[in-house]
């Protein structure tokens, strides 16, 4: 099955700086890579996703890049703000018949220092 | 449109007790799944369903049963609770098997 590794487990950055979280996956058949943000005591919420036919996707201050050859994808947050503090999870799956759900990384606790 | 709902929000069980965690969605999503979240472990898939009458096991299915008699509901049953099942449980649904929407979660403690 799929295995997703996520680094770092904790990331502390100054407000206004950029943050980068990296994930690797093992199954070359995976073609859908979402990122979820989870605030304390809340449910995970999808913030951005990318499919394997695209190398990069941006949404305002958030971007995700995908390198299929190296089997890794990254989340980039620019101009960080206090409300970006949360736990971020990457995930991977094969989106199509026979898929067995999302495989998540273990999460990154992002701390924005004022 | 309530999205994905879960009940109860909190539950305390004694070892050996049984219970059912409820999950419902009103978005007419075919795909539903259950995850458990433990500190430092991320979310792990317990069971999933690709439509009414169809269920399958995920990464950590032992100790849990599911059924899917309707498109809207996907209950998770613990037949004989164990302390190792203390966790936060999230139900999710999606139109396809990718963009999943999570419910608010159930925090379960087994003593």
């Amino acid at each position: 099955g799929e295995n997703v590794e996520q680094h770092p487990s904790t990331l502390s950055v100054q407000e206004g700086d950029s943050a980068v979280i990296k994930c690797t996956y093992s199954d070359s058949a995976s073609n859908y890579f979402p990122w979820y943000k989870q605030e304390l005591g809340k449910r995970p919420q999808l913030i951005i996703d990318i499919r394997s036919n695209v190398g990069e996707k941006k949404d305002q201050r958030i971007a995700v890049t995908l390198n299929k050859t190296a089997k890794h994808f990254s989340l980039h947050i620019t101009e960080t703000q206090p409300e970006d503090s949360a736990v971020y999870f990457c995930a991977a799956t094969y989106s199509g018949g026979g898929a067995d759900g999302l495989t998540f990384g273990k999460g990154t606790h992002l701390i924005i220092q004022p | 449109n309530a999205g994905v709902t879960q009940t109860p929000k909190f539950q305390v069980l004694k070892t050996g007790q049984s219970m059912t965690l409820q999950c419902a969605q009103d978005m007419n999503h075919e795909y539903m799944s259950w995850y458990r979240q433990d500190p430092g472990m991320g979310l792990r898939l317990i069971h999933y369903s690709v439509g009414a009458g169809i269920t399958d096991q995920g990464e950590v299915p032992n100790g849990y049963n599911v059924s899917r008699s309707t498109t809207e509901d996907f209950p998770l049953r613990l037949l004989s609770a164990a302390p190792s099942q203390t966790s936060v449980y999230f139900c999710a649904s999606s139109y396809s098997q990718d963009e999943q929407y999570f419910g608010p979660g159930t925090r379960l403690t087994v003593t």
Side-chain angles (χ1 to χ4, degrees):
Chain A
E2 177 64 274
N3 182 51
V4 176
E5 300 281 342
Q6 182 173 347
H7 300 280
S9 56
T10 303
L11 178 60
S12 181
V13 301
Q14 290 293 124
E15 182 179 348
D17 288 350
S18 295
V20 180
I21 302 170
K22 298 181 180 182
C23 289
T24 60
Y25 62 99
S26 62
D27 190 347
S28 57
S30 289
N31 61 0
Y32 176 69
F33 307 93
W35 286 88
Y36 285 84
K37 175 183 180 182
Q38 187 178 31
E39 296 174 346
L40 190 62
K42 302 277 183 70
R43 74 189 79 187
Q45 294 205 298
L46 179 70
I47 55 171
I48 195 166
D49 56 15
I50 191 166
R51 300 179 193 276
S52 59
N53 58 348
V54 174
E56 182 175 359
K57 184 176 178 181
K58 259 187 112 169
D59 183 3
Q60 299 182 335
R61 297 186 297 110
I62 294 174
V64 57
T65 57
L66 171 65
N67 183 326
K68 285 189 296 182
T69 304
K71 295 207 212 66
H72 67 70
F73 56 112
S74 300
L75 177 72
H76 305 253
I77 305 174
T78 59
E79 299 172 13
T80 53
Q81 300 169 4
E83 54 265 35
D84 294 330
S85 292
V87 179
Y88 291 80
F89 293 97
C90 62
T93 191
Y94 171 69
S95 177
D100 58 358
L102 292 170
T103 299
F104 284 84
K106 288 184 167 56
T108 296
H109 185 194
L110 177 61
I111 301 165
I112 308 301
Q113 303 277 7
Chain B
N1 201 339
V4 181
T5 58
Q6 291 182 238
T7 55
K9 290 185 180 177
F10 302 94
Q11 183 71 49
V12 179
L13 290 178
K14 292 189 188 320
T15 298
Q17 287 185 317
S18 63
M19 80 159 295
T20 299
L21 308 186
Q22 302 291 344
C23 174
Q25 51 91 11
D26 61 359
M27 298 175 281
N28 203 31
H29 286 167
E30 289 294 328
Y31 187 84
M32 296 185 74
S33 52
W34 277 101
Y35 294 86
R36 61 177 288 173
Q37 184 174 32
D38 303 294
M41 295 296 292
L43 292 103
R44 292 181 291 168
L45 183 67
I46 304 171
H47 285 284
Y48 67 99
S49 168
V50 298
I54 306 169
T55 64
D56 208 343
Q57 296 180 352
E59 180 187 353
V60 288
N62 292 342
Y64 307 94
N65 279 352
V66 292
S67 60
R68 184 94 180 271
S69 55
T70 67
T71 299
E72 294 77 22
D73 301 297
F74 190 42
L76 179 73
R77 295 186 194 85
L78 284 71
L79 297 178
S80 179
S84 61
Q85 294 178 304
T86 293
S87 188
V88 180
Y89 292 84
F90 288 100
C91 177
S93 76
S94 65
Y95 176 71
S96 60
Q97 285 166 305
D98 42 33
E99 298 178 39
Q100 297 195 26
Y101 296 89
F102 285 84
T106 293
R107 187 174 295 273
L108 176 68
T109 302
V110 183
T111 62

